[in-house]
Amino acid sequence: MKKTKRLVGIPVASGIVIGNAFILNREIEHVPHMEIEDSEIQAEYERFDKAVNEAVKQLERIRSQVKEKVGESQSYIFDAKIMMLKDDDIREKTFRKIKEERINCEAAFDEVIKGVIRAYDEIDDEYLSERRSDIENVRRRILNNLLGKSHIQITEIKEKVVVIAHDLAPSDTALINKEIILGFATDVGGKTSHTAIMARSLEIPAVVGLQNITDQVATGDTVIIDGNSGIVIINPDAETLNEYEYKKKKYEDSRKLLFSLKDLPAETLDGYKLKILANIELPDEVNAVETYGGDGIGLYRTEYLFMNRKTMPQEEEQFENYRKIAERMNPKPVTIRTFDLGGDKFISQMDMAEELNPAMGLRAIRFCLEKVDVFKTQIRAILRASAYGNLKILYPMISGIQELKRAKSILEECKEELKEEGIAFDENIKLGIMIEVPTAAIMADFFAREVDFFSIGTNDLIQYCLAIDRVNEKVAYLYDPLHPAILRLLDTIVFSAHRYKIPVCLCGEMSAEPIYAFLLLGFEIDELSTNPRSILDIKRIVRNSNLSDAKEIVSKILTMDTADSIRKYIDSIILDKYPEEFFSIE
């Protein structure tokens, strides 16, 4: 019997599946590097263009298939890849390298595209840095065409299997037949990769970021994928198989029970009502918000509209996008965050100076105030869409009062323009700010006088407060939502907001964890915004909790000076008051 192996990765789509492994190996082991003669340069140019054109045709065919199966809203993923394939900058650099270094087009292109990949690796933003996998997929497709290798399609798999791969392209996950592909696990990837987004959309158990699972598994091996915990077990023994068969059944039964809560309010046993909204990145995720009974959309990230394209999205395109979501969710609220990008994170839209630390440079609201025309285009589109539903505007990364006042004045300018043009909009549209920079948290009482609501972005707030890079594995362990300083800041923010009678929403990853959701009750947060599939879990927590218990625990932990002491207290007190399976504490 083969030895049992247990690996731990990043859970990106919940559920448990047990099945036989199928290795989907597409890695390019060797890229030939050859010197060429002057007389061969033109032929290499033509070979490269032919390979790119064929890659475009391949993706266009896949896009058509995806449109039929999944719908129009997912096609942007393939539009972005096709745009990358047609990027003149990559083509020109490849041609220049062929000519100047007298090398074959495979070697020239590989060096150029790897430079692009390295640039993505340096981006200090989880969502954007994971776009490198899209570049990797483009690299692999063009090189396979140049080398004459075929592309194995996931649709060619005919037996029920668990797919194991180094990475999966969106074109793979979008065409998955759930009756055949039971789940998948990959070496690379993260929670915000396109592969993860598609897995959640299709509700297929998946674990990514396993580093070397493709070296650990053979086709035909029995594999357990636990998309709840991130555990993958290869060749389990009989006892482990029985354990996970039981866990699988228990999970499936619990999901059925959770859906009975869909239309019930998130109200504690002692009468405190909380709103649970959803974070979305793609228009298609509105389906999941409705499926899981969200009270609205607490954070619509609009970055994807601006990425991987050669021109900025025009007002009409943005308006149509926002209008459709507003109409679909009406009368429930939709909070649209103005785009949180910097010039360094656009592929080829505008020339921006390189920055040593782009995460703290010209990004988000700072970029918007620098490029007012771009900012006004988005604001006008949101305002116009507000006539079709309950929209709110959210400014990211606000760090000072003057910055906010300038952004507010631009909003007023846009309102006046639309009035003069006779275009309808909600004149009383609510405006809020992300509290994600320490200065904003410290000055929350001043900001509360200027806006209609706060939205706490715990991901960046924790990162900036603790001076760590959460995507740097050497210091990521310091990222701790239970750090006393973070909890004190949360208390300050909520106190300041409620003092001026404005609501507070928390929309970071912290809201998706059951134990944190319980603690946030104790801070008397008004709204939680999380990924759609966590909504029912949080609702279960709220409906089985007492606000009085949560407040008592929060008052105690605010007197403690270390995260370890807070964690131990929570472990001893909360698990004594509630069933052990109620929470998961790390």
Side-chain angles (χ1 to χ4, degrees), residues 15-55:
I16 296 172
V17 66
I18 302 170
N20 293 329
F22 181 93
I23 308 299
L24 196 64
N25 184 12
R26 295 202 180 111
E27 289 312 291
I28 297 170
E29 296 178 1
H30 174 66
V31 177
H33 190 289
M34 297 177 289
E35 294 183 0
I36 62 172
E37 301 294 331
D38 286 357
S39 59
E40 297 175 294
I41 290 175
Q42 185 60 38
E44 291 300 298
Y45 290 167
E46 292 172 3
R47 285 184 63 230
F48 179 76
D49 280 343
K50 183 179 178 181
V52 170
N53 291 335
E54 181 57 31

Side-chain angles (χ1 to χ4, degrees), residues 155-166:
T155 52
E156 295 172 18
I157 302 171
K158 302 302 180 185
E159 297 181 357
K160 291 185 177 183
V161 294
V162 173
V163 169
I164 308 295
H166 176 70

Side-chain angles (χ1 to χ4, degrees), residues 75-308:
S75 67
Y76 91 93
I77 293 175
F78 303 97
D79 292 337
K81 285 179 180 294
I82 290 168
M83 188 70 72
M84 290 179 199
L85 286 168
K86 294 179 177 178
D87 194 307
D88 290 336
D89 187 53
I90 291 175
R91 181 177 185 268
E92 289 168 7
K93 287 179 179 177
T94 300
F95 280 17
R96 190 182 311 129
K97 193 170 280 288
I98 291 170
K99 184 176 182 179
E100 293 177 356
E101 299 183 23
R102 301 294 193 275
I103 57 175
N104 59 311
C105 62
E106 290 95 335
F109 168 69
D110 198 37
E111 289 181 26
V112 170
I113 202 72
K114 282 181 176 177
V116 177
I117 292 168
R118 283 193 295 273
Y120 267 77
D121 286 337
E122 293 169 5
I123 294 176
D124 185 20
D125 181 288
E126 183 182 9
Y127 177 78
L128 293 169
S129 65
E130 285 175 1
R131 297 288 73 76
R132 78 183 299 280
S133 67
D134 298 340
I135 311 294
E136 287 273 16
N137 290 329
V138 166
R139 169 185 177 266
R140 193 159 50 237
R141 188 167 290 276
I142 291 176
L143 286 174
N144 276 334
N145 288 343
L146 287 169
L147 298 170
K149 294 185 177 182
S150 62
H151 299 271
I152 301 172
Q153 296 292 342
I154 207 163
T155 52
E156 295 172 18
I157 302 171
K158 302 302 180 185
E159 297 181 357
K160 291 185 177 183
V161 294
V162 173
V163 169
I164 308 295
H166 176 70
D167 191 17
L168 289 175
S171 53
D172 292 320
T173 49
L175 295 175
I176 279 176
N177 180 344
K178 293 168 64 174
E179 300 301 315
I180 298 295
I181 309 303
L182 306 178
F184 64 81
T186 63
D187 291 333
V188 300
K191 286 190 174 183
T192 57
S193 64
H194 281 141
T195 300
I197 292 168
M198 290 297 293
R200 288 192 290 270
S201 178
L202 293 167
E203 298 190 349
I204 296 172
V207 176
V208 302
L210 288 154
Q211 298 185 354
N212 63 349
I213 189 170
T214 49
D215 296 330
Q216 306 278 341
V217 186
T219 293
D221 283 352
T222 300
V223 174
I224 298 171
I225 292 182
D226 186 342
N228 303 322
S229 66
I231 292 173
V232 175
I233 302 173
I234 305 161
N235 297 314
D237 55 30
E239 183 180 349
T240 304
L241 266 176
N242 288 336
E243 175 190 348
Y244 273 87
E245 288 284 8
Y246 172 75
K247 284 185 175 182
K248 183 174 183 288
K249 184 178 184 305
K250 186 177 179 182
Y251 172 79
E252 290 169 353
D253 290 344
S254 71
R255 296 307 295 176
K256 292 176 184 176
L257 286 173
L258 277 179
F259 273 96
S260 68
L261 304 177
K262 176 185 171 183
D263 298 320
L264 298 176
E267 184 175 355
T268 63
L269 296 170
D270 49 0
Y272 182 75
K273 289 184 179 180
L274 182 74
K275 288 184 179 178
I276 307 177
L277 303 99
N279 298 338
I280 69 167
E281 296 172 8
L282 310 173
D284 194 49
E285 290 181 286
V286 172
N287 295 333
V289 180
E290 294 175 336
T291 298
Y292 293 96
D295 291 321
I297 295 171
L299 176 64
Y300 176 28
R301 302 180 178 100
T302 57
E303 286 75 35
Y304 92 93
L305 283 167
F306 295 80
M307 293 172 59
N308 299 331

